[in-house]
Amino acid sequence: MTEQQYTKLDTLLKQGILLLESLSTVYDRELEALSSKDLEQLSDITQEKMGVINKFHNFTLERVALLKSFGIDIDSEDYSAQEDNTPAAQQTNAFYAEIKRHLKELQHKNKRNEQAIYRNQQNVNQLLAIVRGHKKQDQLYGKAGASKLYKAQSSLGKA
């Protein structure tokens, strides 16, 4: 690739890094909203998150189109400029490494938020069971789906 092509790609990669950094802050704010159970804030954050994700998707499409216009095979797993040791190529590789780092961080934050949602769901289910008058020991099946309470099964069988 030429120096001018590296410059165009670097500009695009910087935009992608900024998008990923903003998405990271959105994930942090989402966790705060989940912890405080603020549904209005959570709804706003979800909309914002979807907007940033859509922007990143558009960034990816633009990057792919740019790489194709340079004649680079984008089907390979890692199409950074590994064989090129020019300073421009090294800078581009640094941007790619930073994008990969941000993506791994976002995967971790997404998993963390998913676990927070799951815990909240479990708490709500337990509260609903209490309100409905269900006793924990009256459950027929455990979390894994195995039989756990034979007394309740027996009374169901008699009915």
Side-chain angles (χ1 to χ4, degrees), residues 5 8 62-72 74:
Q5 289 173 328
K8 284 182 182 179
E62 190 176 341
R63 180 176 45 114
V64 166
L66 184 65
L67 289 171
K68 280 183 179 180
S69 73
F70 295 159
I72 295 176
I74 57 156

Side-chain angles (χ1 to χ4, degrees), residues 16-154:
I17 290 169
L18 292 174
L19 284 172
L20 292 176
E21 287 172 349
S22 67
L23 188 57
S24 180
T25 60
V26 169
Y27 273 111
D28 290 337
R29 289 185 18 243
E30 182 183 45
L31 181 64
E32 291 173 14
L34 287 169
S35 298
S36 66
K37 296 177 179 71
D38 186 351
L39 295 180
E40 188 174 314
Q41 182 184 13
L42 188 59
S43 176
D44 294 341
I45 289 172
T46 302
Q47 292 297 321
E48 183 182 352
K49 182 171 71 170
M50 288 305 298
V52 175
I53 289 173
N54 286 334
K55 285 179 186 178
F56 188 75
H57 175 71
N58 292 336
F59 153 78
T60 302
L61 294 176
E62 190 176 341
R63 180 176 45 114
V64 166
L66 184 65
L67 289 171
K68 280 183 179 180
S69 73
F70 295 159
I72 295 176
D73 179 29
I74 57 156
D75 293 330
S76 64
E77 179 123 347
D78 187 16
Y79 44 83
S80 57
Q82 295 172 347
E83 65 278 345
D84 195 352
N85 288 328
T86 63
Q90 291 175 352
Q91 180 66 37
T92 300
N93 287 341
F95 285 140
Y96 270 121
E98 189 170 350
I99 284 179
K100 286 180 183 180
R101 184 184 59 78
H102 279 295
L103 287 172
K104 284 187 185 285
E105 176 188 338
L106 289 172
Q107 284 178 330
H108 172 70
K109 286 184 177 187
N110 188 50
K111 191 144 200 87
R112 176 196 67 191
N113 290 2
E114 181 183 324
Q115 290 171 347
I117 290 170
Y118 180 75
R119 280 194 310 270
N120 285 343
Q121 181 184 11
Q122 292 298 104
N123 291 341
V124 167
N125 287 341
Q126 287 175 355
L127 290 173
L128 282 174
I130 291 170
V131 168
R132 291 178 183 152
H134 296 173
K135 295 179 183 172
K136 188 153 180 92
Q137 63 266 23
D138 286 346
Q139 293 178 344
L140 292 177
Y141 302 104
K143 289 182 181 179
S147 274
K148 96 176 206 181
L149 182 66
Y150 297 105
K151 178 183 168 196
Q153 288 176 339
S154 171

